Amino acid sequence: MTAERLASLHAVYRDGLRDCAAFWLRHGLDREAGGLLTGLDHDGTVIDTDKAVWLQGRAAWTFATLYNTVEPRPEWRDASRHCLDFIRRHARGPRGKLYFTVTRHGRPLRMRRYVFSESFAAIGSAAYARAMGDAAVAAEAAEYFDTYLHHSFTPGVMPPKTEPATRPMKGVAPLMIAIATAQELRTNLGDITVRDRTCTGWIDWAIGEIARDFYKPELSALLECVAPDGSVIDHFDGRTLNPGHAIECAWFILHEARLRKRDPVLLRLGLGILDCMWERGWDREFGGLLYFTDLHGLPVQEYWAGMKFWWPHNEAVIATLLAWHLTGNEKYAVWHGLVHNWAHRVFADPEHGEWFGYAYRDGSISTQLKGNLWKGPFHLPRMQWYCARLIEERLAAGAPGPA
Amino acid sequence: MTAERLASLHAVYRDGLRDCAAFWLRHGLDREAGGLLTGLDHDGTVIDTDKAVWLQGRAAWTFATLYNTVEPRPEWRDASRHCLDFIRRHARGPRGKLYFTVTRHGRPLRMRRYVFSESFAAIGSAAYARAMGDAAVAAEAAEYFDTYLHHSFTPGVMPPKTEPATRPMKGVAPLMIAIATAQELRTNLGDITVRDRTCTGWIDWAIGEIARDFYKPELSALLECVAPDGSVIDHFDGRTLNPGHAIECAWFILHEARLRKRDPVLLRLGLGILDCMWERGWDREFGGLLYFTDLHGLPVQEYWAGMKFWWPHNEAVIATLLAWHLTGNEKYAVWHGLVHNWAHRVFADPEHGEWFGYAYRDGSISTQLKGNLWKGPFHLPRMQWYCARLIEERLAAGAPGPA
C-alpha cells in the first residue's frame, strides 16, 4: 500500500461519505411524517413509504456519528433526532417491544420475533445523546440495549423458529450485534453497565461465546448457527455459511483489538476468521463475495446463494483495511484492493449517487433500488466513515507504511 | 403446430415423466424411515434429510396419479402409500394441523401459519383412495380439505403476517389452491361435499373471487394480493406480480373450461389472465419467465426478482398448450414452443435426470440442487403428465390440427 494509494482511498471514502449522506437527506428524510423513507428507486424517487424501524435507528446513528466526528453540521444532528423522534412516537408495540415495520405515518405493520430494531435504536440514541449531551436520550439508549439483551439471551424469551425440543440451535448474529452495540454505547456514553455487565463485559462475553462455539479453526469456518454445545448441525441451516457476515464479525473483533493495543488474542481470533472466510467467500470466477456458501462445499438451500450484496463488500473493505493497518501484512492490502475495486465498479452509481444493493453472481445489477426495508444509510456510510477515519489516524500518526 | 411436432412433444413428455418418476423412486424414497427425501444434489445424492410435509402429499398425488392413469405399476402405488403413511404417522401437530417440516424420522421441526401441507395431503389421499378404492383414505382426503378451507377462509383463523387493523390484505394463492384441490378431489372421489359446498361449488366460488377481486383487465394483471374490497395496495407487496403463478391460475381455470365444454366465460377469463401475464412475465432479453415483476414497472422489493425458477415454466408449458388446444390460436403454439424449448434447454439435466430448479436471469444455473423443501416430484411430472395426456386425447379424437 503506497502513500499515494492511501491518500487516494481516503479521498474516495471522505467524498463518498458526504455524497451518501446528502443522498439520504435529499431523498429520504420525511419532513412531513417524520423519520426516513428508504424505499427509493435509482434516482431517489420514493416508490414505497413503509418504514423499517431498524433503519430509523441506523440512520440516527449514522447522522449523529457524522455530527460528532466529521463536522458539527446542524442538518446531520437534526436528521438523527428526526429518526429517533419517529421511533419514540410510533415504533413501540403493546408491550414496549419495537415493531419491525410501520406505515409512513407510523401505524403498525409487522412485529417480528427478534430485537434488531432495539439494538439499532440503542446505537442511534447513544450517538445522538453524545452530540447533544442529552442524559434522557442516553438513558433511552441503555434501555433499548437492555431490551435487546433480555430478548436475545434470556432463555425462552424469543420464540424459536424451529422446534427446540427437536433441534435446539443458537445463532452468531445476536452475539455480533451485542458486540457492535456495546462498542458504540461505550464510545458515546462511556463503559456503562446494562443488565449487570459493563459494555466491555458484554463484549468480552460475546467474543468468548463466538470463539468457543462458532469459530471452528479446524474446519476453517465461522458458523452462523450451531447446537447449544457448539457442535455442527449437519443440515442446510447448520452448514450454511455467510462469508460477508463472518467478515463483519472479524472486524468487530479486530476493532476491539485495535482499542486494546493490538491485544494478541483478539488479533489472532479476528484474523483467523477473516482469513478463512475470505478464502471461502471470494469468488475466483467472477470476483466479489458469494452471499452464502456451504461448510462442505455442497449446494446451499437458498437458490440465490451466489448473488452479491453490497453490504458484505462494505464489511470486507473495512476488515481488510483494518487487518492491514494492524498487521502491516501486505496480503490484506491486496485483498482490500480486490474488494474495494470490485464493489465500487459493480455497486457504485456515479450518476445518481449511493450504491445499488444487489447483483447476480456475474456482477450484473439485479434491481435498480437504492433502498428498501434492509438497505438504508448504514453499511455504506459506516464503511466510508470507518475507513476514512482509520486512514486519517494513520496519517496523523506518521508514515503510511506498514504499522 | 404440426402433427410431427405434436408427436415429438408427446414423446418428450411421456418419456420425461417416466424418467422423472424413476429419479425420485431411486434417490428419494426413504425405505428406512418412511416418506420421501427431497434434499438431493444434482446426481441424486441425499444432502439433507429434513422432510417437507407438503412434498410428501404432492409426491403421493404424483405416484398415485401415474398408477391411476398411466400404468398400474405397483411401485408407484406403494410410493404413494409410503408418503401418506409418513404424513399420518409423523406430520400432525398438537391440534391436528400438519407441520411444515419434520426430521427424517418424523420429529417436528416447524409449524407455519398456512395450510398448504393439508391441501397437498388432500390430493395425495384422493388419488390414492381411487387407486385402492379405499374409503377410509377418501375420508381422510375430505378431512384434509376441510381443514384447509377452514384455516384459509374462516376469518380470523390464520394469523396474518401484517397488522390487519392497519393494512388488511387477502391473497390469490389460497383461492388457486382451493380450485386445484377441489378439481383433484372431484376427479378422484366424485363431486363430494366438504364444508357445505360441493367441489364444483368451491371451484365456482374461488374462480368468482379471483375474477372479481384479483384479475384487473384494465391494468392487464392478475394481482397476488389485494385489499379486502379488491382494491390495489400501492406498496411493494400489493404491486408485486408473479407471472408464473398467475399463469398457473390461468390453466386451472382453462382446465375447468375444458371440463365444461369450453365454457365461454371461463375461457375468456383464463385466456385473459394468460395473455396479460405472459406479456408481463416473458423476458424479451434473455428468454424465460421473470419470477416477480411490478404492476407499474417499478423495481421489485425482492432482489432476486429476475431469477428464473423451474416451476413457473412448467405451469406456462401447460397453460400455453392447453390454450392452443382449446382455441386453436397459433399464438399459443408459438408461446408454447418458446417456453418449452427455453425451459428444457436451461433446466433439464440429461446426465443425471430431473431438472435443476433455479437459474439467474441469463439462464445460468444458480444451484445444483435437484430437490429441497420446495422442489420435489410435483411441478415437473405434473406438466409432463398433463401435457402427454392432453396430446393423447387430441390424437385419439382425430386430427392434431387446430381444435
Side-chain angles (χ1 to χ4, degrees), chain A residues 48 108-109 163 166 235 303 366, chain B residues 48 108-109 163 166 235 303 366:
Chain A
D48 202 343
L109 281 173
E163 198 65 48
T166 303
H235 288 278
Y303 35 82
S366 74
Chain B
D48 202 344
L109 280 173
E163 198 66 47
T166 304
H235 288 278
Y303 35 82
S366 74

Side-chain angles (χ1 to χ4, degrees), chain A residues 29-83:
Chain A
L29 208 65
D30 188 345
R31 290 179 176 79
E32 185 190 321
L36 190 82
L37 296 156
T38 59
L40 305 186
D41 206 346
H42 66 287
D43 60 356
T45 305
V46 176
I47 63 169
D48 202 343
T49 55
D50 292 342
K51 287 168 179 158
V53 174
W54 65 351
L55 293 187
Q56 308 301 317
R58 283 169 161 178
W61 175 84
T62 298
F63 287 115
T65 297
L66 295 192
Y67 178 88
N68 288 334
T69 62
V70 177
E71 193 187 326
R73 292 167 66 159
E75 69 264 36
W76 287 343
R77 179 200 60 209
D78 294 350
S80 178
R81 186 182 56 234
H82 196 74
C83 294

Side-chain angles (χ1 to χ4, degrees), chain B residues 88-119:
Chain B
R88 201 178 294 115
R89 285 187 196 139
H90 302 300
R92 282 182 202 280
R95 283 180 302 279
K97 188 169 176 304
L98 299 181
Y99 286 105
F100 177 64
T101 45
V102 297
T103 65
R104 181 176 183 193
H105 293 278
R107 295 189 61 206
L109 280 173
R110 196 166 173 203
M111 179 63 84
R112 300 192 81 158
R113 299 175 302 122
Y114 48 68
V115 270
F116 295 129
S117 295
E118 280 77 358
S119 64

Side-chain angles (χ1 to χ4, degrees), chain B residues 157-226:
Chain B
V157 173
M158 194 182 303
K161 214 165 167 178
T162 300
E163 198 66 47
T166 304
R167 186 175 298 161
M169 295 197 279
K170 61 181 185 181
V172 77
L175 295 166
M176 284 172 53
I177 298 290
I179 297 171
T181 307
Q183 285 174 335
E184 282 306 311
L185 261 60
R186 189 180 54 189
T187 294
N188 290 308
L189 307 177
D191 200 6
I192 60 169
T193 294
V194 180
R195 290 189 84 75
D196 293 336
R197 269 199 193 118
T198 61
C199 289
T200 300
W202 281 111
I203 293 166
D204 286 336
W205 171 78
I207 291 177
E209 294 282 308
I210 291 170
R212 192 188 66 212
D213 287 343
F214 293 88
Y215 177 44
K216 308 286 181 196
E218 71 283 11
L219 299 174
S220 298
L222 180 80
L223 302 179
E224 287 294 314
C225 79
V226 296

Side-chain angles (χ1 to χ4, degrees), chain A residues 175 269 338 363:
Chain A
L175 295 165
L269 177 63
L338 282 172

